[in-house]
Amino acid sequence: MNQRVFHVLEYRKVIERLARHAASSLGKEKALALKPSTSLEQVKEWQKETDEATQVLRLKGEVPLGGIFDIKPSIKRTIIGGTLSPVECLDIASTIYGGKQIKRFIEEMEEPDLPILRELVGNLVPLNELERRIRGCIDDHGHVMDGASDKLRTVRSRMRTYESRIRDKMDAYTKSKSKMLSEPIVTIRNERYVLPVKQEYKGAVGGIVHDQSSSGATLFIEPQSVVDLNNQLQEAKVQEKHEIDRILKELSEAIAVDEAYLYENVSILTTIDFMFARAKLGQSMKAAMPLMNDQGIIKMRQARHPLIEQDEVVANDIELGEDFTSIVITGPNTGGKTVTLKMVGLCTLMAQSGLQIPALDGCELAVFENVYADIGDEQSIEQSLSTFSSHMTNIVDILKHVNDRTLVLFDELGAGTDPQEGAALAMSILDEVVSRNARVIATTHYPELKAYGYNREGVINASVEFDIKTLKPTYRLLIGVPGRSNAFEISRRLGLDEQVIETAKGHIGTDSKSVENMIASLETSTRQAEKDFEEAEEILKQATELHQELHNVWAEFEEKRNKLYEKAERKAEKAIEQARMEAEEIVKDLRSRNNFKEHEWIEARKQLDETKPNLAKQKPDKAEKKSPVTRELKQGDEVKLLKLNQTGTVSEKISDNEYQVNVGIMKVKVKRKDLEYVKSQQPLKEKPMATVKGKGYHVKTELDLRGERYEEAMNQLEKYIDDAILAGYPRVSIIHGKGTGALRTGVESFAKNHRSITSHRSGGMNEGGGGVTVLELG
């Protein structure tokens, strides 16, 4: 990637903002070293990482990344045999604990799916034993604790005893010899307890002089009575230091043993911190994850410059790389052309660095091998180069490297020289870059370039809007509309005499006037189109909401209708069941009479069964869509008349779009679009049960009930026996299988209670054995 473009587009400022969001020095270091990648796969992976971290922040608000330190130098020292300080050991323990915290935090999250983060924390090694060992020796302030070893506890206990005895003796001196002291206090010199004795009382106190004041009036004397105690205290301090060194040496050796795990943990924690730093930067910018491609396509809606405050920046839509590969922006100074140029370039660099960009969701950016920018007045005083020469030097270098995977940004192309020559040179440079299929955005003042986009394939004009009423730019980019001169309008509003303005207009050629009028017309049309688009979006939004509301109402209606169907079915079934019970009572009474005919009762019960409504078939399927079927209808097909909500049968096809349908006793003509296919005419099936033998009716001499539920099996058995009796069979076989014996017991119980069954027995060897019951009919 071209290094100069980082400075021109102020990429380092974005990186510095990124570093401020890192939670540790490790993350900050990695952020400051971030450079754009030219690999599409790498960029996509970085964007996925940032998106995962963004999802976590959106759900949780914050992540536990505190207490993580750069312990790599400390680990390296332990490997070469060095001894770490207590603070360094404590930093290692803190980093181990920080890793466990983030590991637990990510693993406990149920939503959303976080494959990258889960894999990272899954590779973190807890190192609980090493952390426990360090915490057992060093407190939170970095001091080695008494409990680090028995010897250290003993030594420090002796030290406290010696210090107590020394202070007691020294306090006695301050009370008894207070007049001989400059101040009645005990102080320390050369790590030994001393008294501030006045010069004239030196002999009265006695002892070892360790120091004196700058004036010489005070001597710091260690009384002879505490010399031995001070010596013992110093000896204990030496023992303490040796023991602390030994403890730290053991801890350092233990750290060196786990150095591979520690290095891996540090690397993972650095990556995680860096991921969340990128996510936090995106949140602060209200940014979105861009879709990345390698076809040079840029699509951004409401994109903003990353370094301009959100309450000041003007958002713009940018498209490049599909319908056109180059944009030529014209317009007045301070209108926002350069800001737009930098915004596209900077967003491209950010996206290729795995950072989200300040634009609406659904934005798309390309991965370029190089981004070149010639922006601003960068003339070199040392080389005595003019503005034009400086720009041309940069352009010459750019043209050496331009290809189809390059983004080129030209600011004020051809400026700094004769306007006619500059305009011609600008067009020639653009032609060269466009011919190499690079992606180009260029700004210019030259009016000759306003028509450039109309004469070149793949090139489009654009301009920054200028408000004539306020005499200020709006900073809005208008794609497809070249900029026009506002000199006359501005001069008129500033008070220039109208006669002078009209005279000036007379000096302008007809072609220039036509171009200006065309541009004005384009600007008006563009504004109107944008207004119409906004109105259309609002209408679409309202229509969508209305459609959803109607859908909900219709679903509610369907649900209520289904409930009514179910209620009606239950009521009908209840009525029929009541009628059946009453009929059974009547039959019982009739059977007690001599003139009762069994076959007449069977026929009557069949008719009663046939009166039971099958309302479940009439209920609409909740999951079924009600859209009409467009298949061709045939005579006999059952159809639904959508407008009448009735069911009928097709009797005749009148034309391709009209059919005659029988609805009950009526015949109606219906358009095809008002008919919904239900089902085709089914061929008549022969009834499985028989009536009278010898008149074309027949029934099998056996009934297979295997696999049937008990209640259904008993119903089938009852109907079968009725038909067998009508057929005149002397005996029949009921196949029920062995199984649990429930069906066999049911068949036997039925046989005992049926007046037309004289006897029953299990099947013989050749009849199916215990899996069959033979019924004798009389």
Side-chain angles (χ1 to χ4, degrees):
M1 181 68 70
N2 171 35
Q3 298 297 311
R4 178 176 172 275
V5 78
F6 296 152
H7 168 70
V8 174
L9 298 179
E10 300 179 288
Y11 175 77
R12 298 309 306 173
K13 289 185 178 180
V14 174
I15 296 305
E16 288 168 2
R17 287 191 180 185
L18 172 65
R20 288 198 289 270
H21 288 288
S24 67
S25 59
L26 293 165
K28 182 176 182 179
E29 180 182 350
K30 189 161 186 176
L32 292 173
L34 179 62
K35 294 289 179 61
S37 171
T38 57
S39 166
L40 178 62
E41 290 73 21
Q42 178 68 74
V43 172
K44 285 184 175 180
E45 185 65 21
W46 284 354
Q47 288 291 350
K48 288 179 183 177
E49 291 176 357
T50 308
D51 184 56
E52 276 196 18
T54 301
Q55 292 183 60
V56 174
L57 290 178
R58 189 181 299 121
L59 291 174
K60 296 295 185 178
E62 195 53 73
V63 290
L65 281 170
I68 299 173
F69 298 93
D70 184 4
I71 59 175
K72 295 194 295 294
S74 300
I75 300 172
K76 187 175 181 179
R77 281 178 52 212
T78 64
I79 297 172
I80 62 177
T83 301
L84 303 183
S85 69
V87 174
E88 288 176 311
C89 293
L90 187 62
D91 286 349
I92 291 174
S94 178
T95 301
I96 294 173
Y97 179 76
K100 293 193 298 183
Q101 286 288 96
I102 189 64
K103 180 182 178 74
R104 187 181 305 112
F105 177 82
I106 296 298
E107 289 179 345
E108 288 178 354
M109 288 191 68
E110 297 181 359
E111 294 290 341
D113 187 26
L114 305 169
I116 298 174
L117 281 170
R118 293 191 192 280
E119 182 179 358
L120 285 172
V121 299
N123 293 327
L124 284 172
V125 181
L127 299 176
N128 293 323
E129 178 59 28
L130 179 59
E131 183 198 4
R132 183 195 62 76
R133 191 169 175 183
I134 295 173
R135 295 286 187 185
C137 296
I138 302 170
D139 63 18
D140 293 339
H141 303 290
H143 299 128
V144 179
M145 297 185 292
D146 295 356
S149 72
D150 293 339
K151 183 176 181 180
L152 183 61
R153 183 184 292 107
T154 302
V155 169
R156 285 185 173 171
S157 178
R158 290 207 311 268
M159 288 173 57
R160 285 190 286 272
T161 300
Y162 294 147
E163 288 176 342
S164 177
R165 292 170 61 187
I166 291 171
R167 283 195 170 275
D168 288 343
K169 288 182 176 291
M170 298 293 273
D171 287 344
Y173 273 105
T174 58
K175 292 176 182 178
S176 62
K177 300 182 182 296
S178 59
K179 293 182 179 180
M180 300 179 186
L181 305 178
S182 299
E183 291 182 83
I185 61 171
V186 178
T187 185
I188 295 175
R189 288 293 186 274
N190 300 325
E191 297 186 359
R192 300 176 76 89
Y193 289 96
V194 295
L195 295 171
V197 181
K198 295 177 181 178
Q199 176 69 35
E200 58 269 26
Y201 295 109
K202 173 183 177 182
V205 174
I208 302 172
V209 177
H210 286 279
D211 198 3
Q212 67 177 3
S213 64
S214 57
S215 64
T218 302
L219 300 176
F220 295 96
I221 300 175
E222 178 185 1
Q224 191 62 45
S225 60
V226 299
V227 170
D228 289 341
L229 288 174
N230 264 331
N231 289 340
Q232 291 173 338
L233 178 60
Q234 293 305 312
E235 183 180 349
K237 286 183 177 180
V238 171
Q239 293 174 354
E240 178 196 33
K241 184 178 185 306
H242 288 165
E243 183 61 14
I244 289 175
D245 289 345
R246 185 192 67 78
I247 292 169
L248 293 177
K249 182 68 175 174
E250 288 184 356
L251 289 178
S252 300
E253 290 172 353
I255 291 169
V257 171
D258 290 329
E259 56 93 10
Y261 296 125
L262 287 169
Y263 270 129
E264 179 68 12
N265 282 4
V266 169
S267 176
I268 292 172
L269 291 173
T270 302
T271 300
I272 293 174
D273 186 16
F274 184 42
M275 286 173 61
F276 280 102
R278 299 188 327 244
K280 290 175 183 176
L281 177 66
Q283 277 194 335
S284 69
M285 293 182 175
K286 296 182 180 179
M289 182 183 77
L291 301 175
M292 305 304 300
N293 66 79
D294 57 0
Q295 286 86 45
I297 298 173
I298 296 175
K299 289 183 179 179
M300 293 188 288
R301 289 199 62 195
Q302 298 299 292
R304 309 178 303 276
H305 194 289
L307 299 177
I308 300 178
E309 296 299 327
Q310 294 183 24
D311 57 349
E312 297 178 2
V313 69
V314 175
N316 277 301
D317 297 346
I318 296 288
E319 286 193 23
L320 184 67
E322 283 189 325
D323 298 332
F324 45 86
T325 59
S326 303
I327 301 175
V328 178
I329 306 175
T330 54
N333 282 330
T334 69
K337 300 192 303 298
T338 304
V339 171
T340 301
L341 214 62
K342 287 187 174 183
M343 182 266 289
V344 175
L346 189 53
C347 285
T348 298
L349 296 180
M350 288 174 62
Q352 290 185 221
S353 302
L355 303 177
Q356 297 183 343
I357 61 169
L360 296 183
D361 287 337
C363 51
E364 187 173 0
L365 284 167
V367 174
F368 294 102
E369 288 182 354
N370 256 313
V371 178
Y372 293 102
D374 179 58
I375 298 175
D377 183 3
E378 300 178 34
Q379 58 179 307
S380 172
I381 298 176
E382 292 181 359
Q383 299 177 10
S384 300
L385 296 177
S386 67
T387 300
F388 177 76
S389 299
S390 176
H391 282 301
M392 204 47 55
T393 301
N394 295 333
I395 292 171
V396 169
D397 183 62
I398 291 172
L399 292 178
K400 291 178 182 178
H401 304 94
V402 168
N403 58 31
D404 61 349
R405 292 202 60 196
T406 304
L407 174 64
V408 184
L409 307 172
F410 289 128
D411 188 30
E412 299 300 342
L413 185 59
T417 187
D418 178 77
Q420 287 188 334
E421 293 181 357
L425 196 57
M427 285 189 283
S428 179
I429 293 171
L430 285 174
D431 283 340
E432 178 64 23
V433 178
V434 171
S435 69
R436 301 188 193 182
N437 202 29
R439 303 301 182 262
V440 185
I441 303 179
T443 70
T444 181
H445 272 116
Y446 294 131
E448 289 84 354
L449 289 177
K450 292 178 181 179
Y452 181 82
Y454 296 103
N455 301 326
R456 304 295 195 280
E457 184 178 354
V459 182
I460 193 169
N461 283 311
S463 62
V464 285
E465 191 178 49
F466 190 86
D467 191 337
I468 300 299
K469 296 181 179 178
T470 61
L471 300 181
K472 292 181 180 179
T474 65
Y475 303 106
R476 293 181 66 249
L477 185 69
L478 304 176
I479 299 290
V481 180
R484 65 190 182 99
S485 174
N486 298 300
F488 295 148
E489 288 81 355
I490 294 173
S491 299
R492 182 180 290 109
R493 289 188 60 82
L494 292 177
L496 186 62
D497 188 87
E498 189 65 31
Q499 181 63 38
V500 176
I501 295 174
E502 291 301 321
T503 302
K505 286 183 177 180
H507 294 307
I508 295 180
T510 305
D511 291 342
S512 297
K513 291 180 181 178
S514 299
V515 170
E516 289 297 321
N517 292 335
M518 177 192 69
I519 293 172
S521 176
L522 282 172
E523 287 183 349
T524 303
S525 300
T526 301
R527 291 194 191 95
Q528 185 60 43
E530 290 178 350
K531 182 180 178 182
D532 293 343
F533 178 76
E534 291 174 357
E535 291 178 355
E537 276 195 328
E538 183 62 28
I539 293 172
L540 177 61
K541 181 181 177 182
Q542 294 175 1
T544 304
E545 292 175 352
L546 180 59
H547 177 269
Q548 185 61 42
E549 184 179 349
L550 290 173
H551 177 77
N552 295 338
V553 172
W554 177 257
E556 185 178 352
F557 167 74
E558 289 277 292
E559 185 178 357
K560 288 182 178 178
R561 185 172 66 172
N562 290 336
K563 289 181 179 179
L564 289 174
Y565 270 117
E566 292 171 2
K567 184 177 180 181
E569 182 177 359
R570 288 194 299 269
K571 188 174 180 180
E573 287 179 349
K574 186 175 180 181
I576 293 172
E577 185 62 28
Q578 182 65 31
R580 181 187 293 277
M581 292 173 62
E582 292 176 359
E584 292 287 350
E585 292 295 326
I586 295 172
V587 169
K588 286 181 183 179
D589 181 58
L590 290 174
R591 279 177 174 168
S592 62
R593 303 178 185 179
N594 294 329
N595 62 348
F596 179 76
K597 297 179 180 179
E598 185 75 27
H599 70 277
E600 291 180 356
W601 159 236
I602 293 172
E603 287 295 332
R605 189 165 60 179
K606 276 188 177 182
Q607 293 176 11
L608 183 61
D609 289 338
E610 290 172 358
T611 62
K612 183 178 179 180
N614 190 7
L615 295 178
K617 294 182 180 179
Q618 299 176 19
K619 290 192 300 184
D621 186 356
K622 294 180 182 179
E624 181 185 357
K625 293 185 178 179
K626 301 302 179 182
S627 58
V629 179
T630 56
R631 60 175 288 169
E632 183 178 354
L633 301 177
K634 299 179 181 179
Q635 184 177 1
D637 285 351
E638 185 176 340
V639 293
K640 180 178 180 181
L641 285 73
L642 298 177
K643 290 186 176 180
L644 300 178
N645 197 23
Q646 295 290 329
T647 302
T649 304
V650 176
S651 60
E652 182 182 353
K653 180 179 180 180
I654 299 174
S655 66
D656 290 341
N657 296 319
E658 192 172 24
Y659 291 84
Q660 182 170 286
V661 180
N662 294 338
V663 183
I665 61 173
M666 297 187 300
K667 292 185 178 181
V668 294
K669 294 181 180 179
V670 188
K671 297 291 185 182
R672 176 64 183 89
K673 62 183 179 64
D674 296 326
L675 293 175
E676 182 181 273
Y677 169 80
V678 177
K679 63 180 180 180
S680 299
Q681 183 181 23
Q682 299 296 324
L684 295 175
K685 294 183 179 179
E686 188 178 75
K687 290 186 178 181
M689 300 304 174
T691 53
V692 182
K693 186 178 180 182
K695 294 184 180 180
Y697 299 96
H698 65 275
V699 66
K700 293 182 179 179
T701 59
E702 62 183 28
L703 173 65
D704 192 348
L705 298 177
R706 288 175 296 182
E708 298 289 343
R709 294 178 58 197
Y710 182 83
E711 293 80 2
E712 182 62 26
M714 293 300 101
N715 289 335
Q716 289 188 27
L717 176 61
E718 184 178 3
K719 292 181 180 180
Y720 174 74
I721 294 301
D722 292 341
D723 288 333
I725 291 172
L726 291 174
Y729 291 154
R731 76 179 57 81
V732 292
S733 299
I734 309 301
I735 305 172
H736 45 65
K738 297 180 180 180
T740 62
L743 283 179
R744 180 178 60 189
T745 302
V747 171
E748 291 175 353
S749 177
F750 177 84
K752 290 177 182 179
N753 298 320
H754 200 288
R755 60 182 297 172
S756 297
I757 300 175
T758 59
S759 65
H760 67 277
R761 61 178 176 82
S762 296
M765 293 294 294
N766 297 325
E767 294 176 319
V772 174
T773 297
V774 179
L775 305 179
E776 298 289 340
L777 306 178

